[in-house]
Amino acid sequence: MRIDIITLFPEFVLQVGEYGVTGRAVECGLIDLHTHNPREFALDAHRTVDDRPYGGGPGMVMKVEPLRAAIGVARRQSPTAEVIYVSPQGRRLNQALVRELAQRESLILLAGRYEGIDERVIEHDVDDEISLGDYVLSGGELAAMVLIDAVSRLQAGALGHEESARQDSFSDDLLDCPHYTRPDTVDGHAIPAVLNGGDHAAIARWRRKQALGRTAQRRPDMIEGVELSAEDAVLLNQYMREIE
Ligand code: SAM
């Protein structure tokens, strides 16, 4: 998957490809990152990329021309990619949207700075707007990096163990179950005995029960949308009785 990022801070964004799962995805060629710095497309001697807002007010706004030129180059190099502006005003990123984006062969991410970008770029050069959530970051780079991380781990072969993506929170509209590792007792707190018993069916049932119970407890909004099987309903009932 090719991902082009339009950013004033390319070195910052490219760090997402230096570590861990995303690092491996880049190293193995599953993810191909390219950056385009609007500053390199600014026409004046000072390489100006921002200007004061019309109508007055605080802060600066990213100018049309350098952004449009950078987007143009990215589009030419990656002709089938949609241009996604990461913005607090976009549709909210969730795992379903990550799954959808991860299937594309290319993306162009546009990271804003300052008060944001000139609205005419959004109207005429951007295909989609995606938000990380209802809060404001000082720049789109971290949002772009989050998106790159989330889609990278869904590329076939990016995770050491494919099963782990299937177990993750949201993969089946449930939160993940709790995880434990050695030692089995810490400060008198032992792991649930079932995990040490070697009964794989019992372990799978326990994990499903925890995932259902946690989701119901922590995210009642999510559990409402889940179609529970008869066994799920029994497990959820057990979980609720056990925590009472
Ligand atoms: N004035 C803008 C607004 O209130 O909608 C916020 C501008 S913000 C300070 C600068 C840049 O950070 C934005 O252009 C956008 O690219 C990025 N950004 C901020 N919050 C974000 C969020 N929740 N999700 C994605 N990108 C965000």
Side-chain angles (χ1 to χ4, degrees), residues 85-89 112 114-116 130-133 135-140 143:
Y85 174 41
V86 284
S87 144
Q89 301 186 28
Y114 315 117
E115 287 306 311
I130 292 182
S131 168
L132 279 206
Y135 46 84
V136 177
L137 302 165
S138 28

Side-chain angles (χ1 to χ4, degrees), residues 158-172:
L159 297 175
H161 210 295
E162 292 310 304
E163 183 61 23
S164 50
R166 271 198 293 279
Q167 261 190 24
D168 278 342
S169 294
F170 312 111
S171 61
D172 54 2

Side-chain angles (χ1 to χ4, degrees), residues 48-110:
T48 308
V49 290
D50 58 318
D51 208 338
R52 290 189 305 270
Y54 275 117
M60 302 293 269
V61 177
M62 289 183 81
K63 288 165 70 64
V64 173
E65 301 90 328
L67 281 178
R68 190 162 277 168
I71 292 171
V73 168
R75 277 202 197 271
R76 277 194 290 284
Q77 292 180 4
S78 193
T80 58
E82 275 197 344
V83 175
I84 297 172
Y85 174 41
V86 284
S87 144
Q89 301 186 28
R91 56 190 174 132
R92 190 98 62 87
L93 187 67
N94 58 23
Q95 192 63 17
L97 180 51
V98 167
R99 271 197 296 271
E100 196 248 291
L101 295 172
Q103 283 168 12
R104 304 207 190 162
E105 64 181 28
S106 52
L107 296 172
I108 298 172
L109 304 178
L110 169 57

